[in-house]
Amino acid sequence: MSEHDKDIDQPTGVETTGHEWDGIKELNNPLPRWWLYIWYATIAFSIGYMVVMPAIPALPGMGTNTRGLAGQSDRMAVAEQVESLRTQRSASGAALLTASLEEIETDRELQQFAMASGESAFGDNCATCHGAGGRGAKGYPTLADDAWLWSGTLEGIQYTLQHGIRHEEDPETRFSLMPAFGRDRLLERQQIDDVVNHVLSLSGREVDEAASSRGADIFAAQCASCHGEDGAGDRTFGAPNLTDDIWVFGSEYRDVYNSVYDARNAHMPAWGERLDEATIKSLAVYVHSLGGGE
């Protein structure tokens, strides 16, 4: 716009941009100087950053971004941190191998390492069945209640982890076998019903008293050799306590009936085939802590 064509806003005396909307004209005021200075500074900073730091992307086939004068590399920094952590863990892992479980429990630093390592290993290998924090699920024992089928000591838990339960490939696995009283026709359906009523009565459930009375005799003949005459269980056989109202496969009549009829001989892998000794020890310490330990 030439000098003689300039449009001046009469009230303010400021030149306009020539744009007008519904009689409202846009004034051609300059940008504030402080704003311009900040803008210029950001441009200068950006140029300096690209020179000093790795910022300019490389073209395809030319490798990574430019290194920059500072030689900074987040990838190298992370690699160094990972290597440092691996060295620390290697030293702690070596200490776990030589320390007994009791020594791990009394050495605070080693115990903390074992707990952290065990919790991580539990999440990767055990939580799928036993749940986060060992809360368990139907068909999978709760590990946080200090009620154990086999042994709840540190050594006992380590043995179970090492050799598994009913893991046929391991000759030292924990093994027991509950008969399928219905499927194998060891008992009639009425007899199973009587036994179930008796088993439920052991934990204080309301049952058919007559059926429970008949079931007591059958229980003594067929079940007491493993579960005990009072139903308190026997960890030698992994026979659960039937008096504490803690149930792995469900506490309803139908759940217990199915257990007696078809048996529940679950399997746990022998983790000694997949995990190293230090990880097994860490898992034992972690699992032992979930329920307070024995």
Side-chain angles (χ1 to χ4, degrees), residues 265-283:
N265 296 308
H267 166 259
M268 173 182 162
W271 291 104
E273 298 177 356
R274 311 184 193 184
L275 305 177
D276 57 43
E277 184 180 349
T279 303
I280 293 288
K281 281 187 174 181
S282 297
L283 272 171

Side-chain angles (χ1 to χ4, degrees), residues 45 52 61 93 142 166 172-173 196 219 225 228 270:
F45 177 81
V52 175
T142 298
R166 303 181 188 91
E172 297 183 65
T173 190
V196 170
F219 184 91
S225 57

Side-chain angles (χ1 to χ4, degrees), residues 117-136:
S117 177
E119 183 177 11
S120 177
F122 187 91
D124 291 340
N125 300 285
C126 314
T128 303
C129 293
H130 291 286
R135 66 178 182 271

Side-chain angles (χ1 to χ4, degrees), residues 214-232:
R214 295 192 300 269
D217 294 332
I218 302 172
F219 184 91
Q222 302 287 346
C223 315
S225 57
C226 292
H227 291 283
E229 293 182 4
D230 57 356

